[in-house]
Structure formats: structure tokens, C-alpha cells
Amino acid sequence: QVQLVESGGGLVQAGGSLRLSCTASGRTFSSGTMAWFRQAPGKEREFVAAITGSGGSTYYLDSVKGRFTISRDNAKNTVYLQMNSLKPEDTAVYYCAARPTTAWGAVIRDKYQYNYWGQGTQVTVSS
């Protein structure tokens, strides 16, 4: 049984930082793509960032470029999202997602292309 478990969410003031972690169990995703999505109340779940199996390619939502950094440790089957300069509009439930194969382009940003999801972790940024 595959499980993705997120941690690291919380309440932070605008301009602050948080680091999210997501550890997979039940299978390895070292050759697949791992990603972070988020969903604010009343809104669709949106793509935030993704990283390919080798870690050689990363992709970001335009509004988080330069503030968020995605990385992974394949030995630990874990993906991270370092979030700096947080803004109130970053407030959402953040979800980890994984697919066992690589992806690129529009596919990597499409939530329907991911097979596995975590339960989500709340990030709240106060102004």
C-alpha cells in the first residue's frame, strides 16, 4: 500500500518561511515525478511545483518562482518544498503528489496525471 505523508505546515507571518516534507512508503518514486499542489477554500486544486526523478528538472507556478524551492532525496523517498517570503495568498492546504513515471510540459502540471496523493497539510500566512 502506497502512502504519502506530509509534514511541516503551520501558521506563519507574511514574509516568513516554512519547509514542507513528504515521505513516500510502499514503493519508490526515484524514477518518477513528485509534486506539490495546493487548494485554498472555494478554489480548485492548483499546481505549485514539481521535480523529475533525477532532480534534474524543476517546474514552478509563476507566482511562487523565486520564493519556493522543490527538492528531493531519493534515498529517503522524500520530496521537500522550501517556502520563503510567504504571502497571505499562499494560504492553502498543500498536497504532495507522485507518479511512478516521468513527465514534462503540461502533463507535469495536471493534477489528474498523478496516481498518489498525501492527506494534505495546512499552511496559513497571516498579514
Side-chain angles (χ1 to χ4, degrees):
Q1 181 181 355
V2 177
Q3 281 192 313
L4 303 180
V5 179
E6 301 105 333
S7 62
L11 173 64
V12 64
Q13 287 189 327
S17 299
L18 285 173
R19 188 194 195 206
L20 306 184
S21 299
C22 171
T23 299
S25 61
R27 71 166 296 160
T28 179
F29 292 97
S30 58
S31 59
T33 298
M34 298 189 79
W36 290 93
F37 288 76
R38 68 186 181 187
Q39 188 167 17
K43 294 189 175 181
E44 294 272 333
R45 190 171 299 190
E46 68 174 352
F47 170 81
V48 176
I51 186 167
T52 56
S54 63
S57 296
T58 56
Y59 303 80
Y60 294 95
L61 177 70
D62 283 347
S63 62
V64 308
K65 283 181 183 176
R67 301 189 297 120
F68 291 10
T69 303
I70 189 170
S71 60
R72 66 190 294 167
D73 183 338
N74 285 338
K76 296 181 178 179
N77 222 15
T78 297
V79 64
Y80 305 97
L81 185 68
Q82 177 67 45
M83 304 186 294
N84 299 328
S85 302
L86 282 161
K87 303 176 180 180
E89 51 263 43
D90 294 318
T91 295
V93 177
Y94 283 70
Y95 295 92
C96 174
R99 51 177 284 145
T101 57
T102 193
W104 55 89
V107 172
I108 210 166
R109 298 171 186 270
D110 183 354
K111 58 183 177 289
Y112 298 109
Q113 301 298 326
Y114 289 84
N115 308 86
Y116 304 100
W117 290 85
Q119 81 287 352
T121 186
Q122 177 70 46
V123 171
T124 303
V125 185
S126 63
S127 56

